[in-house]
Amino acid sequence: MRLSEIQSVVSEIYQHTTEGTFVWKNYTNILDEDENATGIKICQVFAKLNKKHIRNARVQNALGNFLKAKAINPTAPFGGKDYPMIGKGPLGGIKHAGLTNDVSVMYEIKNNTIYLFAIGSHDDLGFGKPNNIKKQKQLVKKIDHCKKSEGI
């Protein structure tokens, strides 16, 4: 992945998210054609859940930094809040990384591709205080649908 193109990818993510113009958007085609390049795919759930957060310049900047870090080393944690959700709740095992104090990105990395599922506050994603199991179950259902449609 050409790191210099990350910001244009984030800008495109912003545009497509606010317009709601994609189901799965594959950004690999504007990145290196290297077979080991990291691709980025966005699910329709991402577009629906993230409009209010993706407009925030601080979140856009953090998302760009997250994508750069994962392009360089997909297995390295992004800051101190990048790990699978813990616990026995519905979100258990799904990876998330903190972008700001209250906004996280839910994602998965498979076969050199970063799949972005959601950006939201702890309350939006159902793991605020107190936990909202109903929101978590709804989010997991949407993420599972995205995974199934993409074959991951």
Side-chain angles (χ1 to χ4, degrees), residues 26-39:
N26 185 350
Y27 292 93
T28 309
N29 59 345
I30 65 169
L31 303 172
D32 270 341
E33 296 303 321
D34 177 2
E35 64 187 46
N36 295 319
T38 302

Side-chain angles (χ1 to χ4, degrees), residues 6 9 17 42 50 59 83 85-86 92 97 100 112 132 138 149:
I6 291 289
V9 169
T17 299
I42 309 288
N50 305 300
V59 171
Y83 45 84
M85 297 295 292
I86 55 175
T100 68
N112 286 344
N132 186 327
Q138 290 170 343
S149 72

